[in-house]
Amino acid sequence: MKKSVLAFAALAIFTGAASADGLSANVSLVSKYKYRGQDQSDITKESVPAIQGGFDYTLGGLYVGNWNSSVGFANGTEMDLYGGYKGEAAGVGYDVGLLQYYYPGSGSSAANTTEIYGALSYSIASLKYSHVVSKDYFGYGALAGGVKGRGTGYLDLSVNYEVMAGLTLNGHVGYTSLASDLKDVGYENYMDYKLGATYDLGNGLSVSGAYVGAEKKNWGDGNKGRLVVALSKAM
């Protein structure tokens, strides 16, 4: 069920955008919005372009931000609000915060989801864990008669390696561990993946491509692997 449309590169956000204090912005055009390996738009189509973008404000290690995307449900809009603190100790980066997924056009609060997260990064790799603290997990429980999704967790391991000036290889594997109530009504834990590359065109502009998908099991075609391309601009 979750998000949709046009993003590629926000798949494995290591939240917080700017390296210096102040306000920054970003916008992307993507061929398909995949989130944690799952389509967020029409699952019968390989490509459903979407536009995404947001803002971040940083002050020291503190940050707050907003990210938005078109989606194939909830009348087409997803809004994410987040805030946290990030820093570095002994060469290891750390990041802790809270993220609220909000679907203003859904007419219901069931899909709205709140997660807390913590992440560590070293050299080319990062490891992040997100934990659902809201009652439901993107409305899955509501669809199954009102069971709870609280306690669902997501583990994200990402690697980004610059092979030459401007060209970075991107790899990711993630695992969704659903709350026991969701598994009791037939939902299954699953693993997702991404393998691709990003090329820096200069002046904040970049182009990327990746093969993104997830284990299918009983999730259907929304978990199919797809080639996702994106054009992004950081400001």
Side-chain angles (χ1 to χ4, degrees):
M1 186 183 150
K2 291 193 32 165
K3 322 184 186 184
S4 162
V5 101
L6 134 152
F8 138 83
L11 278 184
I13 306 178
F14 205 47
T15 324
S19 57
D21 288 351
L23 184 67
S24 62
N26 60 87
V27 63
S28 297
L29 177 64
V30 300
S31 63
K32 183 82 172 182
Y33 181 12
K34 281 275 205 181
Y35 183 75
R36 294 178 181 171
Q38 297 184 321
D39 291 0
Q40 302 302 304
S41 55
D42 189 342
I43 65 174
T44 68
K45 297 180 179 178
E46 290 290 327
S47 176
V48 183
I51 183 122
Q52 303 171 329
F55 301 88
D56 294 87
Y57 183 79
T58 61
L59 181 62
L62 295 171
Y63 62 86
V64 293
N66 160 248
W67 184 84
N68 313 278
S69 179
S70 51
V71 293
F73 54 94
N75 286 328
T77 303
E78 174 191 340
M79 299 176 63
D80 299 348
L81 303 170
Y82 52 86
Y85 185 85
K86 65 193 309 184
E88 184 177 312
V92 177
Y94 59 87
D95 185 1
V96 293
L98 181 144
L99 171 59
Q100 172 69 48
Y101 304 88
Y102 178 53
Y103 301 91
S106 66
S108 168
S109 62
N112 300 339
T113 300
T114 307
E115 293 181 337
I116 56 174
Y117 58 84
L120 296 173
S121 62
Y122 181 76
S123 184
I124 64 172
S126 66
L127 182 67
K128 180 177 180 180
Y129 177 72
S130 302
H131 189 82
V132 175
V133 294
S134 53
K135 179 181 178 180
D136 205 351
Y137 179 66
F138 299 108
Y140 289 131
L143 290 173
V147 302
K148 293 182 179 180
R150 183 181 293 123
T152 293
Y154 183 70
L155 188 64
D156 169 0
L157 175 63
S158 295
V159 176
N160 298 286
Y161 178 66
E162 187 176 31
V163 293
M164 57 180 289
L167 179 63
T168 301
L169 298 182
N170 313 119
H172 154 84
V173 62
Y175 185 74
T176 298
S177 178
L178 295 165
S180 57
D181 285 358
L182 292 177
K183 289 187 287 188
D184 287 345
V185 295
Y187 293 110
E188 295 184 71
N189 297 343
Y190 71 95
M191 184 174 66
D192 66 277
Y193 56 85
K194 179 188 77 172
L195 183 62
T198 302
Y199 187 71
D200 185 354
L201 299 172
N203 298 315
L205 194 65
S206 63
V207 62
S208 59
Y211 190 72
V212 185
E215 292 180 295
K216 294 185 180 181
K217 295 188 176 179
N218 67 344
W219 288 97
D221 286 347
N223 284 24
K224 286 179 61 176
R226 303 186 192 276
L227 177 63
V228 179
V229 296
L231 179 66
S232 303
K233 171 70 174 177
M235 296 165 280

